[in-house]
């Protein structure tokens, strides 16, 4: 079906599709568009207007998260692509992943590490909406190094149209959750399954239609390995510097490092030619695999810590009870980073 030959760095491959391959390529575009709309619709079903407004009134957590999402991640993608000297088309794939909004996997991991679920869902939803403008803008800023040399043409308009088309399913999901919250929970479960199906379709399609994509460079594997690690670490560090409570620090870290792989793969599929996709398509799968691996590792480490934590109490107190007793300053979002809270004992003595 395919004749693939990867040529020199900075050039596209000579991959061509026959009639059947072209038909399958077009059919895949339609299928991915529909499935992505379902996934984004399910994401919209997680949005509760009241909780969003609560975070908007006290927006520090959201502002820190947005700074990490559309400030740190695109810049990191740009620096990694330059440092490891990847091919221009591969650099664009890395940039698109770095510019993507947070993925639903961050919501799942946040739940298991006792993060701020309201903040996680709000950040994922808002970053998805903001990405419709921020992704093309970040790509325009950071892709100049490769575009100006004529190595690749980035279809900014087509990417923008793909993202704007997500507004309708997101809005419908928000409306469904507002009117029929019970039905929204069912839709969310279906959307999670559809998201897994979407990734499997992408994997199978890349294996069949873009066989050369699996002959990827070692540099792409290295980027896929360290990129999510940098995102998690940077998000957590910036949240601490911004004096956020511990649950929010964990949440912002996850929202920064866990990108929406489904959106990245669909944008690539709908925006670039098969010749370019041969060199681009594997990276979202590599990134998604490593971010899931790191997420499972974080859950394991946190759950172990949660069970053995005794908060300096004797062994007669169960670990879970001891951990709960540590949350002496509970704002409704779990334990508070008490190093950032005022010293109440000093205040009481002064009175």
């Amino acid at each position: 079906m395919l004749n693939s030959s990867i040529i020199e760095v900075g050039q596209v491959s000579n991959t061509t599709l026959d009639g059947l391959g072209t038909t399958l390529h077009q059919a895949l575009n339609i299928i991915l568009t529909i499935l992505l709309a379902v996934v984004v619709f399910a994401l919209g079903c997680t949005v509760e207007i009241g909780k969003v407004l609560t975070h908007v009134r006290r927006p520090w957590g959201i502002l820190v998260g947005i700074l990490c999402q559309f400030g740190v991640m695109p810049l990191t993608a740009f620096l990694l692509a330059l440092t490891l000297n990847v091919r221009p088309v591969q650099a664009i794939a890395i940039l698109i992943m770095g510019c993507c909004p947070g993925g639903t996997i961050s919501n799942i991991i946040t739940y298991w590490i006792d993060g701020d679920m309201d903040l996680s869902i709000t950040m994922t939803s808002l970053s998805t909406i903001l990405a419709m403008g921020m992704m093309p803008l970040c790509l325009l800023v950071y892709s100049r190094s490769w575009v100006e040399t004529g190595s690749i043409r980035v279809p900014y308009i087509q990417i923008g149209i793909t993202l704007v088309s997500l507004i309708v399913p997101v809005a419908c999901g928000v409306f469904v959750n507002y009117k029929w919250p019970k039905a929204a929970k069912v839709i969310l479960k279906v959307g999670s399954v559809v998201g897994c199906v979407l990734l499997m379709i992408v994997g199978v399609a890349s294996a069949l239609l873009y066989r050369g994509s699996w002959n990827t460079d070692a540099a792409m594997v290295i980027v896929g390995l360290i990129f999510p690690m940098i995102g998690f670490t940077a998000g957590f560090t910036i949240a601490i510097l911004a004096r956020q409570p511990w649950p929010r620090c964990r949440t912002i870290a996850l929202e920064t490092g866990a990108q929406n792989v489904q959106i990245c793969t669909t944008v690539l599929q709908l925006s670039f030619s098969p010749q370019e996709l041969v060199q681009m398509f594997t990276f979202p799968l590599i990134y998604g695999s490593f971010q899931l691996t790191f997420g499972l590792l974080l859950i394991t480490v946190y759950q172990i810590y949660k069970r053995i934590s005794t908060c300096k109490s004797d062994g007669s107190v169960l670990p879970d009870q001891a951990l709960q007793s540590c949350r002496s300053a509970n704002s409704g979002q779990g334990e508070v980073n008490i190093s950032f809270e005022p010293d109440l004992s000093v205040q009481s003595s002064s009175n």
Side-chain angles (χ1 to χ4, degrees):
M1 182 182 300
L2 292 177
N3 294 318
S4 175
S5 61
I6 306 298
I7 57 178
E8 296 297 323
V9 173
Q11 299 177 353
V12 298
S13 68
N14 292 328
T15 302
T16 58
L17 295 176
D18 56 21
L20 178 59
T22 302
T23 302
L24 291 176
H25 177 76
Q26 295 173 348
L28 181 62
N29 287 349
I30 298 173
I31 294 172
L32 287 178
T33 302
I34 296 173
L35 290 181
L36 182 63
V38 173
V39 172
V40 176
F41 172 65
L43 177 61
C45 289
T46 65
V47 180
E48 296 185 25
I49 301 299
K51 294 179 179 179
V52 172
L53 293 177
T54 298
H55 280 287
V56 170
R57 295 189 190 100
R58 302 182 64 183
W60 288 112
I62 293 178
L63 293 177
V64 173
I66 295 302
L67 171 64
C68 294
Q69 189 75 63
F70 296 112
V72 173
M73 292 302 280
L75 177 60
T76 301
F78 173 74
L79 294 177
L80 287 174
L82 279 183
T83 302
L84 295 176
N85 194 30
V86 298
R87 306 179 187 189
V89 287
Q90 294 172 332
I92 299 303
I94 296 173
L95 283 175
I96 290 177
M97 177 59 74
C99 297
C100 275
T104 53
I105 187 175
S106 63
N107 307 136
I108 299 173
I109 301 175
T110 296
Y111 173 81
W112 284 105
I113 65 170
D114 294 335
D116 187 333
M117 284 302 298
D118 292 343
L119 177 62
S120 177
I121 293 172
T122 301
M123 282 183 57
T124 301
S125 305
L126 289 181
S127 66
T128 300
I129 296 172
L130 291 175
M132 297 168 193
M134 293 302 297
M135 276 187 72
L137 176 61
C138 290
L139 283 173
L140 180 63
V141 171
Y142 289 110
S143 64
R144 291 183 178 180
S145 299
W146 298 281
V147 172
E148 290 179 354
T149 62
S151 302
I152 187 173
R153 180 186 64 85
V154 180
Y156 301 109
I157 296 178
Q158 188 151 352
I159 291 174
I161 292 174
T162 300
L163 294 169
V164 170
S165 65
L166 300 178
I167 293 178
V168 175
V170 168
C172 290
V174 174
F175 178 76
V176 168
N177 191 34
Y178 175 74
K179 295 290 291 185
W180 306 286
K182 292 183 179 180
K185 293 180 180 179
V186 176
I187 293 173
L188 178 59
K189 294 180 180 179
V190 174
S192 300
V193 174
V194 172
C196 295
V197 172
L198 180 60
L199 287 178
M200 287 190 290
I201 289 177
V202 167
V204 173
S206 61
L208 295 177
L209 287 176
Y210 318 113
R211 293 174 188 171
S213 63
W214 295 104
N215 300 322
T216 189
D217 300 331
M220 295 294 280
V221 179
I222 295 174
V223 174
L225 171 64
I226 64 177
F227 196 1
M229 293 176 60
I230 293 174
F232 292 138
T233 304
F236 190 77
T237 302
I238 293 175
I240 289 178
L241 295 177
R243 303 169 67 86
Q244 294 298 296
W246 290 123
R248 290 191 178 186
C249 291
R250 297 195 292 268
T251 301
I252 292 171
L254 290 172
E255 290 295 328
T256 302
Q259 301 291 80
N260 196 316
V261 177
Q262 294 97 328
I263 287 181
C264 181
T265 53
T266 305
V267 167
L268 289 176
Q269 174 70 28
L270 298 179
S271 304
F272 294 91
S273 67
Q275 292 81 3
E276 294 167 325
L277 286 174
V278 168
Q279 300 182 63
M280 305 171 81
F281 220 69
T282 312
F283 181 73
L285 305 180
I286 296 173
Y287 187 99
S289 299
F290 281 118
Q291 81 172 6
L292 179 59
T293 301
F294 294 140
L296 294 175
L297 180 61
L298 288 173
I299 291 174
T300 302
V301 171
Y302 179 79
Q303 290 297 323
I304 292 174
Y305 157 77
K306 182 177 178 179
R307 290 187 176 277
I308 67 175
S309 176
T310 59
C311 292
K312 299 181 181 179
S313 61
D314 57 38
S316 61
V317 180
L318 294 176
D320 288 346
Q321 295 173 342
L323 185 62
Q324 290 296 329
S325 66
C326 285
R327 299 175 178 177
S328 56
N330 193 321
S331 63
Q333 306 296 343
E335 75 271 27
V336 173
N337 186 342
I338 58 176
S339 62
F340 301 148
E341 296 299 305
D343 191 340
L344 300 180
S345 61
V346 175
Q347 291 180 358
S348 59
S349 62
S350 62
N351 293 334

